[in-house]
Amino acid sequence: MATVYRGDAYNTDFETTTYVETLVFSDVEAIQMFNAFRFDMFQQTFSKSDFTGPRLLEIGGGPTIANAIHACTRFPEIIFSDYSEKCRQAVEKWVKNTPGAVDWSQFIKFVCDKEGNGNKWEDRQAMVRQSIREIIHCDIHKSNPLEPKVYEPFDAIMTSYCVECACPDKDSFKEAIKNIVNLLKPGGVLLIFTVLDETFYLVGEKRFYCLKVDQTFVKTAVVEAGCHIMSEEVKSFDDELSDLSGLLFLSAIKQ
């Protein structure tokens, strides 16, 4: 049986460049659909005039700045967090414009073109770099996932395809969502992207673990964490790099 990687393997066996090239930048139709769904959901959310604030936290951002490209237009201060040191280093190299960093310019152009602002992509790139104020470790299994750091509650939190890859079972998933919501201020907004029915995904030849969850379960976990769901969207989806059945986007407000 093939090895299934999880947990601390994200610090040793997770190839950040391979992940970005195959699961973000690829021109394979399935990945383009994946990116289009992310764009549509974030465009609907971040284009709302009342969805703004000084501070946003990204939990489990991975080795990508894809979500921050949208968030920086509404939140001038983004705290980026991830469990994996390799992922944090990849993002930090890009933010500092270090030689050898992944080149996100074409993806930023893609987003700006979709918005009708293709000629302003360099301004957006600079905005993303300026908005990511800190890059820190997180562990969603702790009551304060950002320990040992302590912050005032955030105006918004976003997490994408993270919780289901970090939790061994459904009880720990629910507890992790509660830990994340603890970092959100009352009235703050939680944005979650989740893969549905997935048990693994491939990064190169390596198979990484994912907890199989469905839409009803994820909604229940968010509500039990003290949030009211404002919107939800599901897109049926399949590709050759995982066994998922679809993608779920939820936006919720902390009661």
Side-chain angles (χ1 to χ4, degrees):
M1 181 178 294
T3 300
V4 178
Y5 297 88
R6 65 178 78 196
D8 285 335
Y10 281 94
N11 286 315
T12 56
D13 296 282
F14 186 76
E15 298 299 331
T16 58
T17 301
T18 301
Y19 176 91
V20 171
E21 289 177 348
T22 59
L23 293 170
V24 182
F25 291 169
S26 173
D27 58 3
V28 172
E29 182 180 3
I31 300 304
Q32 292 301 307
M33 290 174 60
F34 188 100
N35 287 331
F37 180 71
R38 184 204 330 249
F39 172 85
D40 290 343
M41 295 302 98
F42 274 155
Q43 178 70 1
Q44 291 176 23
T45 302
F46 287 105
S47 64
K48 296 175 181 177
S49 60
D50 60 344
F51 184 53
T52 186
R55 298 166 59 247
L56 177 144
L57 170 67
E58 179 161 16
I59 290 279
T64 92
I65 52 95
N67 297 338
I69 296 169
H70 300 272
C72 71
T73 64
R74 291 293 182 180
F75 294 86
E77 180 179 340
I78 296 174
I79 306 300
F80 178 98
S81 70
D82 196 84
Y83 179 80
S84 166
E85 183 178 6
K86 294 180 76 173
C87 290
R88 297 194 304 273
Q89 289 174 344
V91 172
E92 185 173 18
K93 284 179 67 175
W94 182 84
V95 169
K96 293 182 177 180
N97 205 14
T98 304
V102 170
D103 182 2
W104 282 90
S105 60
Q106 291 301 316
F107 194 86
I108 295 171
K109 289 177 185 177
F110 161 78
V111 172
C112 291
D113 283 341
K114 293 269 286 183
E115 293 175 345
N117 297 308
N119 61 333
K120 297 182 179 180
W121 72 269
E122 290 178 298
D123 293 339
R124 178 68 64 84
Q125 179 169 263
M127 184 185 294
V128 180
R129 284 195 166 106
Q130 183 177 9
S131 69
I132 299 177
R133 303 295 177 83
E134 293 185 70
I135 299 170
I136 63 173
H137 176 266
C138 72
D139 184 344
I140 58 176
H141 299 300
K142 295 183 177 181
S143 57
N144 171 17
L146 307 182
E147 182 183 305
K149 290 182 174 287
V150 177
Y151 294 86
E152 291 296 316
F154 289 89
D155 301 284
I157 296 175
M158 60 182 179
T159 183
S160 300
Y161 318 119
C162 161
V163 183
E164 63 271 33
C165 294
C167 293
D169 53 47
K170 289 185 175 180
D171 286 341
S172 61
F173 184 102
K174 286 186 174 182
E175 194 63 28
I177 293 293
K178 290 178 182 177
N179 294 339
I180 292 169
V181 171
N182 284 342
L183 300 171
L184 192 62
K185 73 177 186 182
V189 174
L190 176 67
L191 305 176
I192 300 180
F193 277 102
T194 305
V195 289
L196 300 175
D197 299 315
E198 183 175 280
T199 64
F200 77 91
Y201 69 98
L202 296 174
V203 180
E205 299 298 320
K206 295 176 181 176
R207 180 178 294 230
F208 281 81
Y209 161 86
C210 188
L211 176 67
K212 185 176 181 178
V213 296
D214 60 27
Q215 180 181 3
T216 300
F217 171 75
V218 176
K219 289 170 59 179
T220 299
V222 170
V223 170
E224 290 182 359
C227 294
H228 169 72
I229 294 174
M230 297 187 295
S231 66
E232 59 185 293
E233 191 80 26
V234 172
K235 184 172 183 62
S236 296
F237 191 88
D238 65 81
D239 70 358
E240 297 179 352
L241 300 176
S242 74
D243 60 348
L244 85 170
S245 67
L247 306 172
L248 169 67
F249 174 74
L250 288 179
S251 66
I253 188 167
K254 184 177 180 179
Q255 304 285 51

